[in-house]
Amino acid sequence: MTTSQTPATTRFLTGITTTGTPHLGNFVGSIRPSVEASRRPGVQSFYFLANYHALIKCEDPARIQRSTLEIAASWLAAGLDPAHVVFYRQSDIPEIPELNWLLSCVTGKGLLNRAHAYKASQDKNQAAGREADDGVTAGLFMYPVLMAADILMFKAHKVPVGRDQVQHIEMARDIAASFNHLYGEHFVAPEAVIDEHVATLPGLDGRKMSKSYDNTIPLFAPREQLRRLIQGMLTDSRAPGEPKETEGSALFQIYQAFATEAETAALRQRFAEGIAWGDAKQVLFERVDAVVAPMRERYEHLMAHPAEIEETLLAGAERARAVATPFLRELRSAVGLRSLSAQPAAAQPAAKASRAALPAFKQYREADGHFYFKLVAADGRLLLQSTGFTAPKEAGQAIARLQQSAADATEALQALQPQLAPVDGVTPSDVVAALQALHAAA
C-alpha cells in the first residue's frame, strides 16, 4: 500500500457508496471479508468512500455526509488498518474526476448504452409509458466511466464485486484498452473477483437484508435496540417442543454467519429438539452481540470524534495522491496536455505524422505477471499478439527476431508461431508486410 509496487504485489481496490447505514448484511458480505483480505501478504489494498457515486443515487447532502461518517467509522471499527491499506474519500482525489474526463473522450456511447443500470432505467420508463430517458441524468449514464477512473487510476489488478457489478469491470477493461490503443500502454486491465462463498443475509422479514426493503439490522445498533430487532424477526407458528427447520430460517442463517461450526451444529440440534422461538432469538442476539460489542465501543468513540476520522481520511488521500498525481501527469503528457516550452509546437505534428505512418511493437506486463508484446498497424489495427513470457528479456528477444531483415520475416514468423496467439482477420502476409515496412524505415 505504498507508492511503490513490486512484481509480486497484487493491488486490490474496493469502493463503498456513501448512501446508507451499514447493517449486518454489509458486515458479513463485504466488510469482514475485505478486512481479512487486506491482511494477506503480497497484497496492496485500496479502500475508498465513493461519495461522488453517491450523488447519482442521493440528493440529500446531510444523508451523504452522515453516511460517509458512519461507513468510515464502521470499517475502522471492524479492524481496517489505515497504516496497512490506503483508505481515502473519493472526493479528496482531484485526479479522479480529471481522469474521468480523459476516459470519457475515448469511451464509445454505444458501450455506455449497454450498461445494466442505464438499460434498467429505460426499461422502467418504458413500462410506465414514459420517455425512455425520463429522469436519467448524465451522471447515471456516465457512471461506468467514473468507476473505470477509480479503478484505472491506481492500476488495480483485482476488484472484488458482486455479480451485478461484473459488467462494470469488463467496461473498465474496454475503456483501458481504448486509451492504451491510442496513447500507448498506460493502464492495467483489471479483473473482477467474485467470492462465491460470501454470505447474503436475510433481513427481519426473511427477504435479503437490504435498505430497499427496510428490513435491516444496523451493524452498530445499541445493545437493547439490537435485542428488540432480533426479537421482532418473523418466524413460523411452530410451538415450543415442535421440531423446527433450519432450511429457510432467517434466524438460523444469521446465526450461522456469526458462529463457529461447533456452535452452528449445536443450534441445529436444538432446532431439531424443538427450541422455542423466543429462546432461539435470545441465542442469536447473544451470539451477534458477542461479535459486535467489541467493535461497537470503537465505533461509538469514532462517531463521537469525527475529527479523528477526517484526519485518517486526509492522511489516506495524501498516500493515494502520491500514486495518482505522477500517474495523471504521465497521462496528461500522453494525450498532449503538455507545456508549450517542452517542444516547439511546429515540430510536433511532423513527429506525430512520422510515427503514425509506421506499425509499432508494444511490450507490456499483465496482471498475471507475464510479459507480452503486440504489433499494431499504422491505422491502429492489431496485427500480432504474443502469448505470455516469463521474463521481459524473452519478449524483447522475440521482438528483435521479428525485426530482422525483410527476407527473414516469414521465417522468423514461422519459428515463433508457438509464442503467438491468432488474431481474427489478419493473414501472415499482413504481418510480413508490416515487418518489411519497419525494416525499410530502420
Side-chain angles (χ1 to χ4, degrees), residues 198-347:
V198 169
T200 299
L201 290 193
L204 297 171
D205 57 2
R207 294 181 295 176
K208 176 185 175 182
M209 191 176 292
S210 169
K211 297 187 293 290
S212 302
Y213 298 142
D214 193 27
N215 66 350
T216 65
I217 301 176
L219 175 57
F220 293 115
R223 178 179 167 86
E224 289 309 311
Q225 181 187 1
L226 176 63
R227 187 197 303 273
R228 288 195 302 272
L229 288 170
I230 290 176
Q231 288 294 334
M233 289 182 65
L234 292 178
T235 53
D236 61 35
S237 58
R238 298 182 195 189
E242 188 176 354
K244 297 168 177 63
E245 295 290 337
T246 58
E247 186 70 28
S249 168
L251 190 154
F252 186 83
Q253 290 179 51
I254 296 175
Y255 182 86
Q256 188 173 25
F258 284 84
T260 65
E261 290 185 9
E263 290 168 332
T264 300
L267 184 60
R268 181 179 284 109
Q269 179 62 32
R270 294 188 67 182
F271 264 56
E273 294 170 353
I275 186 174
W277 284 125
D279 292 339
K281 290 176 180 179
Q282 181 62 25
V283 170
L284 172 61
F285 162 71
E286 291 173 355
R287 179 65 266 180
V288 172
D289 191 59
V291 173
V292 171
M295 298 186 294
R296 185 191 293 125
E297 182 178 354
R298 173 66 174 157
Y299 174 82
E300 291 174 349
H301 169 82
L302 290 168
M303 290 297 292
H305 299 85
E308 291 186 21
I309 296 178
E310 182 70 15
E311 182 179 351
T312 297
L313 292 176
L314 292 178
E318 185 176 349
R319 296 175 65 193
R321 294 197 67 196
V323 177
T325 301
F327 186 39
L328 187 66
R329 190 182 305 123
E330 171 190 323
L331 298 176
R332 286 171 62 90
S333 177
V335 301
L337 305 180
R338 306 164 180 158
S339 168
L340 299 181
S341 63
Q343 185 173 354

Side-chain angles (χ1 to χ4, degrees), residues 94-146:
E95 291 81 5
I96 289 174
E98 183 169 356
L99 177 56
N100 178 54
W101 176 250
L102 298 184
L103 298 180
S104 297
C105 295
V106 302
T107 302
K109 181 176 180 293
L111 179 68
L112 299 178
N113 285 341
R114 297 191 291 273
H116 295 327
Y118 175 57
K119 290 176 66 177
S121 295
Q122 288 196 314
D123 292 344
K124 185 177 179 180
N125 283 334
Q126 184 178 8
R130 296 189 293 262
E131 183 183 348
D133 284 339
D134 183 48
V136 176
T137 65
L140 173 63
F141 185 70
M142 297 294 293
Y143 177 94
V145 183
L146 179 57

Side-chain angles (χ1 to χ4, degrees), residues 15 21 27 92 130 136 139 315 342 423:
T21 299
F27 175 73
D92 288 333
R130 296 189 293 262
V136 176
V423 178

